[in-house]
Amino acid sequence: MGRGLVVVGVAVTVAVTACAVAAVVVGKRVKSRRKWRRVVGVLAELEQGCETTVGRLKQVVDAMAVEMHAGLASEGGSKLKMLLTFVDTLPNGSEKGIYYALDLGGTNFRVLRVQLGGQRSILEPDVERRPIPQHLMTSTSEDLFDFIASLLKEFVEKEGDVSDTTLMRRRELGFTFSFPVKQTSVSTGILIKWTKGFGIEDTVGREVSECLEQAMARIGLNVRVAALVNDTVGTLALGHYHDPDTIAAVIIGTGTNACYLERTDAIIKCQGLLTTSGGMVVNMEWGNFWSSHLPRTSYDIELDADSPNPNDQGFEKMISGMYLGDIVRRVILRMSHEADIFGDALPKLSMPFILRTPLMAEMHEDDSPELTKVARILKDTLEIPDVPLKVRKLVVKVCDVVTRRAARLAAAGIVGILKKIGRDGSGGITGGRSRSDIKMKRTVVAIEGGLYTSYTMFREYLHEAMKEILGEEAAQHVTLMVTEDGSGVGAALLAATHSSDPVDNVQLL
Ligand code: BGC
């Protein structure tokens, strides 16, 4: 009897323990399921916030075209600055001689020597490339321009014995300065503001070519700035040089922007503007475009608030390489706060801009079954080891949502330009005629920047959206042409076009 009681007692204890263990296991599972549901909820909310249906994209197209009109109508009429460039003729292939180019505004600073042979021939340029030391981006004007001038001097001195007679005359250069500049002529202009992480206060409001020329004078270098251009304008010049149907250029790299060829009579804010060609390239500075139709999330709002230029460059902050990685980082951080999917201490994940866009692209395009690249980047860059496969998949999904939105918005921006100039096949300009009556002209848009050229998923999403917005038929008449090195060779071409031409081709009455 006594033994029987002991057996029963043991059995009860075992049963109770088993129940307790089961309860803990079930409790943990329930908790972890609940956490997972929260994470999935964050993803669903992100997807909803980033939605870019064709309907919404068409609203963005219209808003872009309307803002372009407004920016052309009056100074300050729109967040789109629609800046005059004083470039009224584009290279046509006959340019000859040796020209230099400086390229400031991307990841690297570059100096180039370009030999133009006429008849659309360009010899392989000599190029020197240097990363811009971080401290110079927020230092003083003098420090930055001294750095630029001294690299140019080194480069020129290395040129050795070049027998070309063009070098007997004063050297000339095209200066690609990829920031918003209010041009006063084709070779001069005033910096309106910095973007892309630059922030040298004493340059704002100053004449950019003069800053460079003063720095060159300090070291005894005698080179004439023949053209001061935005990178979009250099890209348009090079695109047009290769294909005369090129009427616009877009950059989607560290920053984003577009320019296009406009009729001078449509530039209402400069009435009486005369050019020999009847047109002028307009630098839109579309990075600053804004519309209530843009799908904005709490991550965009936080990124903007934490940036050195809040309420500025809103379109750029949703599209360009400087920011995409950081949007993804913010989403992952939110997920880990909501449901500690990555464990506790995450000092790296809290660091702004630690996840650069090229790494994000690598994760997005990881096609290994185990997502090994994703695991490596999470471990090496964010110091989060041992992330389970299902969480890695989630990270890839976040990259996808953020990139897809960016690419589709860029596509809407491009169609906005086409609409403004009546090249979107909608009959906007010819009015009244049905779509099928309108014979669409072949239209080429030169395009450059790492996001488009090196990020396949981004490029594919952009193409897909262009087709969705324009329709298959109209899309066939629009070619996006990769135009590599518009900011180098294109600037040299514009220097050639405006070489030793003391009077700009444009007269303001
Ligand atoms: C600048 C533009 C430039 C673009 C692409 C933007 O941040 O404001 O001037 O064209 O980046 O480099």
Side-chain angles (χ1 to χ4, degrees), residues 83 104-106 177-181 193-196 230-233 251-258 283 285-288 313 316 320 323:
L83 300 167
L104 179 77
F177 184 77
S178 307
F179 302 96
V181 165
K193 64 178 183 187
W194 289 104
T195 56
K196 297 177 281 196
N230 188 260
D231 49 358
T232 53
V233 181
I251 305 278
I252 316 174
T254 311
T256 186
N257 189 14
N283 168 13
E285 284 298 333
W286 87 0
N288 202 36
Q313 301 293 104
E316 177 161 275
S320 82
Y323 304 100

Side-chain angles (χ1 to χ4, degrees), residues 297-336:
T297 65
S298 57
Y299 308 102
D300 301 303
I301 295 170
E302 284 161 19
L303 181 144
D304 181 56
D306 294 348
S307 73
N309 54 347
N311 290 320
D312 219 18
Q313 301 293 104
F315 199 48
E316 177 161 275
K317 285 173 182 161
M318 285 184 168
I319 290 182
S320 82
M322 170 116 192
Y323 304 100
L324 294 193
D326 204 54
I327 301 178
V328 168
R329 179 194 67 82
R330 284 167 188 273
V331 180
I332 305 179
L333 183 64
R334 165 88 53 91
M335 288 175 161
S336 86

